[in-house]
Amino acid sequence: MIEIKNLKKSYDDIEALRGVSFSVKSGEIIGLLGPNGAGKTTLMKILTGFLHPTSGTAQIGGLDILAHPGEVQKMIGYLPENAPLYPELTVQSQLRMVADLRNIPQNQQRHDLSEAIRAVGLEKRLTRRIGTLSKGYRQRVGLAQAILHKPKLLILDEPTNGLDPSQIVEVRHLIRNLAHHSTVMLSTHILSEVEATCDRAIIIMAGELMADARLSELSAKAAAIVTIANPTDEQTISRQLTALSEASKVETVSRNDHRTTFRIEAAQDICPAIYQLAREHNWALCELRQETKNLEAVFNQLTTVAGGAK
């Protein structure tokens, strides 16, 4: 659905995007993740045709965004952080106006409006003025107008920003349902949103692509944690752990209550080898587990790398 190759965008001497490349398959829910100022908004503006890239290419549905801007925009539904709504209009009037702007034929509008309204749960709010709705329901109206023309690609910018916890859960559920019919790109700087909603995370920092992986891959096994009670010689234990063929790095992470905890990095599951070593040397094991990375740990690690590279 999306194919981006070496995309760059500069504003005078500021490089907002620095050779970003990635592809997205149809039906995926992608989390476009990064701190404020990372280049997420610039990327979305290029995909929607609002900005032209300095260099590189981007295709949506097999069409180049510069060569076929009109056809590409017909395939896109876009919900900005603050949905463009008219508070004096009713929900029904707002959506009918958008249907006209999208050039949806009159004989088809009734059907398409009904589908979009049902998809986001607005059936009981059609005659309400938008200015009287809660922010959660205004987001629903924004989603409805973004999907009204049945887009192949749905781009959402901070869709849960400012919502209360119950509204956030509702919008997450809506997004998952919308993915049955559209590819979804969700831009956010909130890590929990990506973990709760997306299948895959694309992390951009300082205009560069820092990570692109499925969430299951990002949280793959990273290291083993072992805690030993009353170690007689901590340095000897550390050397013995380092001598394991699978181990690439051993560090002491804590000492308290007569216990010492080590972290052992390895390319594969090293827990069985550590257990066998503990039996051979009669270590009093208090804990032996495989450490896993969550998205926050990956993000923080990449932030450190990006900061050190400047």
Side-chain angles (χ1 to χ4, degrees):
M1 176 51 63
I2 303 175
E3 187 71 38
I4 293 175
K5 294 182 179 179
N6 200 30
L7 202 64
K8 298 181 180 180
K9 178 62 180 179
S10 298
Y11 302 97
D12 296 326
D13 58 342
I14 298 175
E15 291 182 294
L17 293 177
R18 305 178 181 184
V20 172
S21 300
F22 64 85
S23 61
V24 178
K25 296 179 181 178
S26 295
E28 285 191 290
I29 305 178
I30 302 298
L32 184 61
L33 185 63
N36 291 328
K40 305 188 304 297
T41 298
T42 297
L43 178 59
M44 288 187 296
K45 286 182 176 180
I46 289 174
L47 291 177
T48 55
F50 186 79
L51 290 177
H52 283 192
T54 303
S55 63
T57 62
Q59 293 184 347
I60 294 178
L63 298 178
D64 186 272
I65 60 171
L66 297 181
H68 307 279
E71 290 88 342
V72 167
Q73 288 174 347
K74 289 178 182 178
M75 290 190 283
I76 297 175
Y78 177 48
L79 176 64
E81 183 174 354
N82 297 305
L85 305 172
Y86 291 91
E88 68 275 12
L89 294 181
T90 64
V91 171
Q92 193 171 40
S93 298
Q94 171 82 27
L95 296 179
R96 281 179 174 171
M97 179 188 68
V98 173
D100 289 336
L101 292 172
R102 283 287 185 181
N103 296 318
I104 298 175
Q106 290 292 327
N107 60 358
Q108 188 180 330
Q109 281 192 19
R110 183 184 181 92
H111 175 266
D112 291 353
L113 283 166
S114 296
E115 281 199 345
I117 289 165
R118 283 198 302 269
V120 301
L122 283 171
E123 297 94 333
K124 297 181 180 180
R125 300 292 191 279
L126 294 180
T127 59
R128 292 276 298 274
R129 294 189 184 277
I130 289 172
T132 67
L133 298 176
S134 68
K135 185 162 186 178
Y137 272 101
R138 292 199 297 273
Q139 285 292 80
R140 288 174 183 244
V141 177
L143 279 170
Q145 65 183 27
I147 65 173
L148 192 54
H149 59 299
K150 297 180 174 62
K152 294 182 179 179
L153 172 63
L154 186 58
I155 298 177
L156 310 175
D157 189 5
E158 304 285 356
T160 62
N161 188 35
L163 302 185
D164 64 38
S166 63
Q167 292 169 339
I168 289 173
V169 172
E170 290 174 358
V171 172
R172 287 173 179 172
H173 182 68
L174 289 174
I175 292 170
R176 298 294 301 186
N177 286 338
L178 292 173
H180 294 306
H181 309 286
S182 302
T183 301
V184 179
M185 175 178 282
L186 185 157
S187 172
T188 184
H189 64 277
I190 303 174
L191 303 177
S192 59
E193 282 307 300
V194 176
E195 290 183 315
T197 310
C198 302
D199 306 313
R200 176 178 156 205
I202 293 175
I203 301 176
I204 295 178
M205 292 184 179
E208 296 184 3
L209 182 68
M210 300 296 290
D212 178 4
R214 300 190 69 80
L215 294 185
S216 57
E217 296 171 358
L218 286 175
S219 60
K221 294 172 181 176
I225 302 296
V226 58
T227 300
I228 301 172
N230 300 311
T232 55
D233 188 342
E234 183 180 314
Q235 291 185 348
T236 298
I237 292 175
S238 180
R239 285 196 299 269
Q240 291 168 335
L241 290 168
T242 303
L244 292 172
S245 59
E246 301 93 336
S248 58
K249 181 181 178 181
V250 176
E251 58 183 338
T252 302
V253 294
S254 69
R255 301 180 186 89
N256 57 68
D257 297 330
H258 307 291
R259 298 178 180 183
T260 301
T261 299
F262 300 88
R263 181 178 183 273
I264 304 95
E265 293 185 5
Q268 60 189 33
D269 185 0
I270 197 173
C271 285
I274 295 173
Y275 177 74
Q276 185 61 37
L277 190 65
R279 289 189 60 186
E280 292 173 2
H281 295 278
N282 294 316
W283 296 343
L285 280 182
C286 299
E287 178 185 34
L288 176 59
R289 62 180 172 85
Q290 197 75 38
E291 182 188 63
T292 57
K293 289 183 180 178
N294 58 18
L295 189 56
E296 181 178 3
V298 173
F299 188 85
N300 290 337
Q301 181 181 2
L302 292 174
T303 301
T304 302
V305 172
K310 291 181 180 180

